[in-house]
Amino acid sequence: EVQLVESGGGLVQAGGSLRLSCAASGFTFDAYAIGWFRQAPGKEREGVSCISNSGASTYYADSVKGRFTISRDSAKNTVYLQMNSLKPEDTAVYYCATGPNIRAIIAGMVEIWGLGTLVAISS
């Protein structure tokens, strides 16, 4: 079965850190770029970060640059999002998604979505 499963969300205080994981199965992991999106209550979905299939290229939204780091582990078919210096405005459901490349993912041309993991930051 082709799927993405997110984990690692939770409730932390502002200034804290979380590491999200996106475990992939059922497809050739190294052939796809992977992205993280988030959606806060009452807001549109936002592209947060992406990593190319090789891991050589990354993308970050301005709102998370310098605070979030994306990485991938081909041996574990997993993409990580390390989130530091968290702010209340980072509160959202975070989703991972696959696509052919970073540009396609940011444009919304996503092939597979995960079910999401909730991140809540208290002030």
Side-chain angles (χ1 to χ4, degrees):
E1 180 183 3
V2 175
Q3 63 178 356
L4 297 171
V5 179
E6 301 94 336
S7 62
L11 173 64
V12 298
Q13 290 188 329
S17 298
L18 283 172
R19 189 177 79 157
L20 305 184
S21 299
C22 172
S25 60
F27 62 95
T28 305
F29 180 74
D30 290 344
Y32 290 87
I34 305 286
W36 285 96
F37 292 78
R38 65 187 181 187
Q39 188 163 22
K43 295 188 176 181
E44 291 189 355
R45 187 172 57 207
E46 171 191 20
V48 174
S49 182
C50 288
I51 189 166
S52 63
N53 63 320
S54 68
S57 298
T58 57
Y59 160 87
Y60 296 96
D62 288 343
S63 57
V64 306
K65 271 181 190 174
R67 300 188 298 122
F68 290 12
T69 302
I70 193 170
S71 61
R72 63 191 295 158
D73 185 338
S74 293
K76 297 182 178 180
N77 281 8
T78 300
V79 170
Y80 303 99
L81 187 68
Q82 178 67 44
M83 306 187 297
N84 299 329
S85 302
L86 285 161
K87 306 175 181 179
E89 52 263 44
D90 293 319
T91 295
V93 177
Y94 283 70
Y95 302 89
C96 62
T98 67
N101 53 61
I102 289 177
R103 180 173 293 184
I105 290 176
I106 295 302
M109 290 184 280
V110 167
E111 300 187 19
I112 306 166
W113 287 98
L115 295 180
T117 185
L118 177 63
V119 171
I121 312 302
S122 62
S123 57

